[in-house]
Amino acid sequence: MSLRFGRSYLAIPGPSVIPDEVLQTMHRASPNIYEGELIETTESLFPDLKYVAQTTQNVAIYIANGHGAWEAALANMAEAGDTLLIIATGRFGHGWAEMADRLGLQTEIIDFGLKAPLEAGRIEEALRRDKDHKIKAVLTTHVDTSTSVKNDVASVRAALDACNHPAVLAADCIASLGCDDFQMDAWGVDVMVAGCQKGLMVPAGLSFVYFSDKAKEAQKTLSRVSSYWDWLPRIEPEGYYQYFCGTAPTHHIYGLRQALDMIKAEGLNNVFARHRSLAEALWAAIDCWGSDGGTMRMNITDPAHRSCAVTALSLNKPDATRLRRWTEHNAGLTLGIGLGMNSEDDPNADGFFRIGHMGHVNAHTIMGLIGTIDAGLKSLGIKHGAGASEAAAVKIASALL
Ligand SMILES: *Cc1c(COP(=O)(O)O)cnc(C)c1O
């Protein structure tokens, strides 16, 4: 027998749960791409994308996933031979650095390991050593989806300002946009990359490069910029096709329009508060499972440094993989793999997994997830403390007081 038949739940850190409203609005005939409604709908996206990132500056849209946004951002920030300072707090920082290497950029990486947030003091030291201002850009990850650490991006701006360093500050918000508070303008971020398939609840296919007026000016000093990735025509097109350098992503435009309407109707601060309350309920459950000799451990111990969109955690290997398989095959709940957590002792990261709790999730989705993991632990005989659902329920009840 299996208990998986019914609506499945993909609880991985992207792609996230797609609201029915988004799917339904995408289920339609192709619109005219030369005039009419599609053009207006496209233009309506820009102010709302800026609202979500708390910026009044610029945003370009690409038909791409997050990796495409990484490449687009690099193409507009630097050219072969330029130096970038890259802050790694998990797999994704290294991923962006590898892409920069392949473009012929010089990368200097400051690695904070797999369990800790960035520390601005070390970044400031590196910037002070760069007396000739060779570093063109500092690349950070707001939330690293592999470790689930959340970084203080504003502290990197403070480090740049403290030594009057002119480099642009770039942030990867692919996992955090629309989940964790991110204030592009207030925090002095020049370039920000995001995708539509995480906090923005749309199937993968669109990504965004936000850029400050300063980054826009800096781009003009490059000797050349790839015509496909160039962000300028995408914000100041002479013809509609230039928004996307070709055919518009027609159905994604409708899906994103719907998702942004849902975010606006809820209110951005309420969206953040919902993610925080649900994350706290989940963390309370995980603390219970890890008590009384239970082996479950959160990767990031300090709640102040945790993302509210994804939680990375461990069990004794291979219990994480056994649990993932159990919840998927028996209960219709898919948990995320332990990404970038391979070690000599655990070459396939069978002791790590991740829970995505981003986007279209509410109290009952998270309570269902907690109850399902609890059943899996029991069925598999994985030692765990009691009271997880109870502790989560108390958190949810108190969040609504
Ligand atoms: C998901 C993610 C990416 C990669 O996005 P893709 O759409 O898979 O290319 C990059 N950075 C972060 C922080 C992410 O969460």
Side-chain angles (χ1 to χ4, degrees):
M1 195 194 63
S2 171
L3 299 175
R4 76 170 179 277
F5 299 99
R7 175 168 281 226
S8 59
Y9 172 20
L10 184 65
I12 70 174
S16 64
V17 175
I18 305 168
D20 286 346
E21 295 90 325
V22 170
L23 290 170
Q24 281 154 8
T25 195
M26 294 176 80
H27 191 98
R28 54 179 294 156
S30 285
N32 185 349
I33 60 164
Y34 297 110
E35 53 194 25
E37 180 207 53
L38 184 72
I39 286 123
E40 284 154 35
T41 306
T42 304
E43 285 169 352
S44 77
L45 297 173
F46 293 94
D48 295 337
L49 286 169
K50 292 178 193 177
Y51 163 75
V52 179
Q54 304 183 69
T55 180
T56 58
Q57 302 185 77
N58 314 286
V59 56
I61 309 178
Y62 294 87
I63 302 184
N65 59 17
H67 284 71
W70 274 350
E71 179 129 354
L74 291 169
N76 285 284
M77 282 193 293
E79 58 192 335
D82 284 347
T83 301
L84 305 180
L85 180 65
I86 297 169
I87 314 306
T89 53
R91 184 62 218 132
F92 287 89
H94 291 286
W96 207 359
E98 285 155 15
M99 197 166 247
D101 272 336
R102 294 284 296 273
L103 288 171
L105 306 172
Q106 306 295 314
T107 53
E108 185 184 330
I109 300 181
I110 307 183
D111 192 345
F112 291 91
L114 298 175
K115 287 194 157 290
L118 66 79
E119 196 258 297
R122 268 179 71 192
I123 300 168
E124 189 176 326
E125 282 164 26
L127 290 168
R128 281 194 195 282
R129 279 196 298 275
D130 179 38
K131 296 222 169 19
D132 306 333
H133 293 166
K134 279 210 167 98
I135 296 170
K136 270 253 173 108
V138 180
L139 271 50
T140 61
T141 313
H142 183 215
V143 163
D144 194 298
T145 322
S146 62
T147 55
S148 71
V149 76
K150 181 168 67 188
N151 287 303
D152 181 353
V153 177
S155 72
V156 184
R157 164 51 59 203
L160 281 156
D161 290 350
C163 42
N164 281 320
H165 199 293
V168 298
L169 172 59
D172 175 347
C173 292
I174 296 170
S176 56
L177 191 72
C179 305
D180 276 294
D181 188 17
F182 176 81
Q183 302 178 25
M184 173 155 166
D185 290 354
W187 298 355
V189 175
D190 294 301
V191 174
M192 186 271 268
V193 297
C196 70
Q197 79 275 25
K198 300 193 184 182
L200 300 187
M201 311 179 286
V202 175
L206 292 182
S207 57
F208 314 101
V209 178
Y210 290 76
F211 53 103
S212 66
D213 298 330
K214 172 183 163 183
K216 186 178 168 191
E217 288 312 306
Q219 187 243 32
K220 293 177 182 160
T221 69
L222 300 178
S223 52
R224 64 174 69 82
V225 177
S226 127
S227 60
Y228 187 75
W229 294 125
D230 190 355
W231 59 31
L232 267 189
R234 291 170 187 262
I235 63 160
E236 294 162 0
E238 282 163 23
Y240 176 73
Y241 77 97
Q242 288 184 315
Y243 277 121
F244 306 102
C245 197
T247 305
T250 49
H251 289 67
H252 276 74
I253 290 170
Y254 291 115
L256 180 61
R257 179 64 269 154
Q258 178 65 35
L260 289 169
D261 284 343
M262 292 168 72
I263 289 172
K264 276 170 49 181
E266 184 177 355
L268 193 58
N269 287 329
N270 294 329
V271 171
F272 297 148
R274 171 168 54 83
H275 280 84
R276 168 149 297 280
S277 298
L278 297 175
E280 286 175 351
L282 176 63
W283 299 339
I286 296 168
D287 284 341
C288 284
W289 286 321
S291 65
D292 280 339
T295 56
M296 195 181 285
R297 295 285 176 270
M298 242 150 338
N299 187 50
I300 301 299
T301 43
D302 183 348
H305 298 140
R306 284 183 200 148
S307 146
C308 291
V310 51
T311 298
L313 63 177
S314 62
L315 283 166
N316 290 344
K317 67 164 191 204
D319 286 346
T321 297
R322 291 173 67 223
L323 180 66
R324 282 194 300 105
R325 300 244 157 90
W326 189 94
T327 62
E328 182 162 80
H329 295 296
N330 295 296
L333 168 69
T334 303
L335 301 169
I337 59 167
L339 195 76
M341 293 300 191
N342 322 48
S343 63
E344 252 171 52
D345 287 352
D346 184 8
N348 300 316
D350 289 321
F352 273 93
F353 67 114
R354 292 174 302 159
I355 301 170
H357 36 100
M358 52 177 52
H360 197 56
V361 288
N362 60 16
H364 86 71
T365 16
I366 296 304
M367 292 305 290
L369 174 142
I370 291 167
T372 303
I373 291 175
D374 204 42
L377 295 170
K378 288 177 169 55
S379 174
L380 295 168
I382 298 171
K383 195 161 177 359
H384 61 284
S389 290
E390 178 80 21
V394 168
K395 280 282 178 199
I396 285 187
S398 67
L400 294 170
L401 279 184

